[in-house]
Amino acid sequence: MKQHLDQLKFGAVGALVALGCSGYASAAGDTRPNIIVILADDLGYSDLGCYGGEIQTPNLDRLAENGVRFSHFYNASRSCPTRASLLTGLYPHQAGIGRMTFDEKKPGYRGTMTHNGVTIAEVLSQAGYQTGMIGKWHVAETPLRPDQRQWLAHHVQYDEFAPKDNYPTYRGFQDFYGTIYGVVNYFDPFSLVNGEEPVRSVPEDYYSTIALTDSAVSYVNRYTENEKPFFMYLSYHAPHWPLHALPEDIKKYEDVYKVGWDKIREQRYERMRKLGIFNQEEDYFTPRQFSESWEENPTSEWDARAMAVHAAMVDRMDQEIGKLLAALEANGQLDNTLIFFMSDNGCSPEDCQFYSEGENDRQAEMRNGEKIIYPREKEVLPGPENTYASIGARWANVANTPFLYWKAKSFEGGICTPMIAHWPKGIQQPKGSMTGQMGHVIDIMATCIDLAGASYPAEYKGNEIIPLEGKSLVPVFETGTRAGHSELCFEHFEEKALIDASGWKIIRQGTEKPWELYNLKEDRTEMNNLAAQYPEKVAELEKRYLEWENRAMVNPRP
């Protein structure tokens, strides 16, 4: 499918400013690695083939076979908080997005990335790196307009989708092609921007995942003409709802999911065991969270189709990543490019077809005026542009095999992401290794600083900068171990957790429920609540959690 590359031209002034402020002395003979961070959206823990899934992901499987997979790598449980953490190396509240992209008038909840943090691009551009971002931004405040419904349908136009001083080009990226808002129509996305300019129209054969990759490939081709290394952040929309995929990709999976929820979960679990995802652990298969029988499911045809579209979206993302890898190879850059691949959170349980049309970032009609169908009765099969649906909690439970729960929860199904690191010249561990070292998206900034020989600033553009929370992953690449975090902490809409370096984890699901306690070393999938057995451990970890809440700007709450 031919995509429009004529929209990949960027403002020369912005590029010159970004390059001109670099403090790095010389690019001649620069052997530092390129760094590419690829972020999927709402991907399930076991969706990829290399993590046990049935979805065809040969390109990501290739990266895993020649790199390192992490089994204990964490995110912030939802899209915008995770992205803010990844970009800044801070916890979400410190980065300004403790919840969503709306200003709730509290320090940790401003709905946009704070200027008391710096992005990876801001730091690396100062160290001589070229910087480009492609895809979903979703870390800028997105105020709603009275004519939001018409705006979402492209029937009215404005020059800004958010204040421009929070666009990527103002946060260290010399190039940007993507969307400012979170949710998109894959065939005609709202809030699409090229540099700082709105993209008013797209070709008839447009599909987001392909267009973003076309842009990424063009960046690689351009950046490799320069001796300076580059940092690229490629943030796909896939496979976040709405379920939109190309017919040829859906066809590959049209019969796969007709066997139902239980069979697919069981098959995934068995593949995970054979792959050694959790090393020597033998029994970590949680019960399915729903009791309904697939054989008695009156909407099984629709449900099988929904998961087929989800698979098609993941499959297409993998196909496009293959094109990016081919471009790196063609330019002689693959061996000295560190590629990270991960998800922003666990698979989503949402039934988005029950949301209100025309609100926030959810379209009610297409550009041509055709009404978009929200199939609340599952009366129309998902996949085409004129439908708006998601897979729901039952398939999300499958996609997050073997874990409990999903996106926005602090159980492992919400916060643990598949994570692949590939860097032939730099990773010294055996190819195809699986590491149980605990990491978090806050570590990506620290790793980039380490490899770039950059400095994390105490002050930037007149703003005092919050100290970095992340720790470099380079020791894991070199020796297999590192002196990591003493604990990792989580909070999102009162979903709270702390994971101690020893493997103890406390979870609290809202203010009305008591703390739960799990030993992840012995109970990887949180099936045995030990809170009543070890109340002193709960008290110890709760004290540490509350100290973190106060330090990390979780309080005061809105």
Side-chain angles (χ1 to χ4, degrees):
M1 181 179 293
K2 183 180 180 293
Q3 297 294 338
H4 63 306
L5 295 179
D6 57 324
Q7 292 180 341
L8 304 179
K9 300 174 183 177
F10 296 87
V13 174
L16 287 172
V17 168
L19 291 173
C21 68
S22 172
Y24 191 72
S26 173
D30 199 332
T31 60
R32 296 175 298 171
N34 307 309
I35 302 170
I36 300 177
V37 176
I38 305 176
L39 189 67
D41 198 336
D42 288 6
L43 182 78
Y45 188 83
S46 61
D47 275 340
L48 305 182
C50 55
Y51 276 83
E54 69 291 328
I55 303 173
Q56 297 173 37
T57 55
N59 295 295
L60 288 165
D61 295 351
R62 169 191 168 193
L63 293 182
E65 289 163 5
N66 292 281
V68 174
R69 280 166 294 168
F70 286 69
S71 60
H72 293 65
F73 201 84
Y74 293 94
N75 54 58
S77 89
R78 203 179 209 129
S79 177
C80 40
T82 291
R83 290 158 202 277
S85 272
L86 189 157
L87 284 164
T88 63
L90 303 174
Y91 280 108
H93 309 78
Q94 295 171 309
I97 306 184
R99 290 187 178 171
M100 305 299 289
T101 53
F102 302 104
D103 189 354
E104 299 186 70
K105 311 301 182 184
K106 297 289 184 181
Y109 305 88
R110 299 314 302 258
T112 193
M113 280 198 304
T114 176
H115 289 278
N116 294 113
V118 286
T119 69
I120 298 172
E122 286 171 326
V123 173
L124 263 59
S125 64
Q126 296 292 301
Y129 271 67
Q130 304 171 85
T131 57
M133 194 255 160
I134 308 102
K136 176 176 172 176
W137 184 233
H138 202 204
V139 286
E141 184 190 358
T142 48
L144 305 180
R145 298 180 183 271
D147 54 358
Q148 188 79 5
R149 186 185 183 98
Q150 292 74 32
W151 195 27
L152 290 169
H154 310 283
H155 295 163
V156 297
Q157 304 285 350
Y158 296 99
D159 290 335
E160 292 186 352
F161 296 101
K164 282 191 176 179
D165 62 353
N166 288 311
Y167 275 30
T169 48
Y170 283 83
R171 298 308 306 262
F173 290 100
Q174 69 189 65
D175 295 321
F176 171 59
Y177 176 78
T179 58
I180 302 299
Y181 269 55
V183 178
V184 301
N185 174 333
Y186 284 74
F187 299 98
D188 190 5
F190 173 73
S191 78
L192 187 62
V193 170
N194 183 32
E196 298 170 20
E197 298 302 315
V199 177
R200 301 296 190 192
S201 63
V202 297
E204 290 185 5
D205 63 350
Y206 190 96
Y207 186 70
S208 164
T209 308
I210 298 176
L212 298 181
T213 307
D214 287 346
S215 184
V217 168
S218 76
Y219 286 11
V220 167
N221 292 336
R222 175 155 52 89
Y223 292 161
T224 53
E225 294 176 355
N226 191 312
E227 291 186 346
K228 293 181 179 181
F230 64 84
F231 168 72
M232 182 187 296
Y233 172 39
L234 173 53
S235 176
Y236 285 110
H237 301 107
H240 193 291
W241 49 264
L243 290 167
H244 284 168
L246 301 174
E248 60 266 33
D249 294 333
I250 299 172
K251 187 171 180 59
K252 295 166 67 172
Y253 299 95
E254 61 185 0
D255 295 324
V256 172
Y257 299 100
K258 292 179 179 179
V259 297
W261 307 301
D262 291 297
K263 190 68 173 177
I264 297 297
R265 273 192 96 231
E266 291 163 5
Q267 291 172 346
R268 287 193 177 198
Y269 174 66
E270 288 305 317
R271 282 191 293 267
M272 295 181 86
R273 291 186 65 188
K274 290 178 181 177
L275 288 168
I277 299 297
F278 298 128
N279 297 321
Q280 303 304 314
E281 295 181 43
E282 289 296 321
D283 186 9
Y284 49 86
F285 193 34
T286 57
R288 189 165 70 87
Q289 289 177 256
F290 301 93
S291 60
E292 298 98 324
S293 164
W294 180 261
E295 289 70 26
E296 297 176 359
N297 175 18
T299 60
S300 60
E301 179 185 1
W302 192 96
D303 291 328
R305 165 72 174 218
M307 191 60 184
V309 180
H310 173 87
M313 295 165 80
V314 176
D315 185 310
R316 174 54 60 176
M317 178 174 62
D318 182 84
Q319 292 180 55
E320 297 306 308
I321 288 171
K323 295 177 184 177
L324 177 62
L325 300 181
L328 290 167
E329 286 185 299
N331 285 283
Q333 298 294 316
L334 184 61
D335 283 355
N336 198 32
T337 298
L338 170 58
I339 301 173
F340 289 113
F341 175 89
M342 67 198 78
S343 179
D344 61 349
N345 45 248
C347 190
S348 171
E350 296 160 281
D351 288 308
C352 75
Q353 54 267 38
F354 290 97
Y355 291 158
S356 299
E357 305 102 311
E359 293 185 2
N360 191 14
D361 49 12
R362 302 183 289 272
Q363 285 183 300
E365 56 188 291
M366 293 160 53
R367 187 186 293 263
N368 64 6
E370 180 181 348
K371 181 178 173 58
I372 293 174
I373 301 167
Y374 283 58
R376 296 182 175 94
E377 303 297 326
K378 298 186 176 180
E379 67 277 19
V380 175
L381 292 177
E385 181 183 356
N386 67 346
T387 63
Y388 206 97
S390 52
I391 62 173
R394 286 150 188 79
W395 278 123
N397 188 196
V398 176
N400 290 331
T401 302
F403 295 130
L404 299 168
Y405 293 108
W406 33 65
K407 172 182 178 178
K409 289 287 191 178
S410 287
F411 282 83
E412 298 291 281
I415 61 176
C416 194
T417 173
M419 207 283 271
I420 302 167
H422 179 274
W423 179 25
K425 279 193 174 181
I427 294 177
Q428 298 173 26
Q429 298 308 294
K431 291 182 178 180
S433 293
M434 175 69 67
T435 179
Q437 292 285 299
M438 189 168 68
H440 191 284
V441 293
I442 56 178
D443 296 334
I444 302 301
M445 165 74 91
T447 306
C448 291
I449 289 173
D450 196 351
L451 295 175
S455 297
Y456 185 83
E459 183 179 305
Y460 186 78
K461 294 186 176 179
N463 297 302
E464 183 178 351
I465 301 302
I466 299 169
L468 181 64
E469 293 280 353
K471 296 177 179 290
S472 175
L473 296 167
V474 171
V476 180
F477 301 156
E478 294 178 343
T479 68
T481 62
R482 67 168 180 169
H485 301 275
S486 58
E487 74 240 355
L488 292 173
C489 298
F490 307 84
E491 193 282 334
H492 186 62
F493 283 99
E494 302 296 344
E495 289 280 335
K496 309 173 184 183
L498 179 147
I499 305 175
D500 180 71
S502 66
W504 286 105
K505 178 179 179 180
I506 54 169
I507 302 172
R508 191 172 189 181
Q509 301 185 70
T511 57
E512 302 302 317
K513 293 187 177 181
W515 285 101
E516 300 174 41
L517 176 69
Y518 299 93
N519 184 348
L520 298 184
K521 294 279 188 181
E522 299 175 0
D523 178 21
R524 184 67 186 88
T525 50
E526 302 165 313
M527 290 188 281
N528 302 301
N529 179 7
L530 302 175
Q533 189 173 345
Y534 299 106
E536 71 286 350
K537 178 58 71 173
V538 174
E540 173 205 331
L541 297 181
E542 180 185 23
K543 180 176 183 293
R544 288 164 58 184
Y545 174 83
L546 294 174
E547 290 171 351
W548 170 81
E549 270 200 349
N550 291 324
R551 179 180 66 77
M553 300 172 64
V554 179
N555 291 318
R557 288 177 166 82

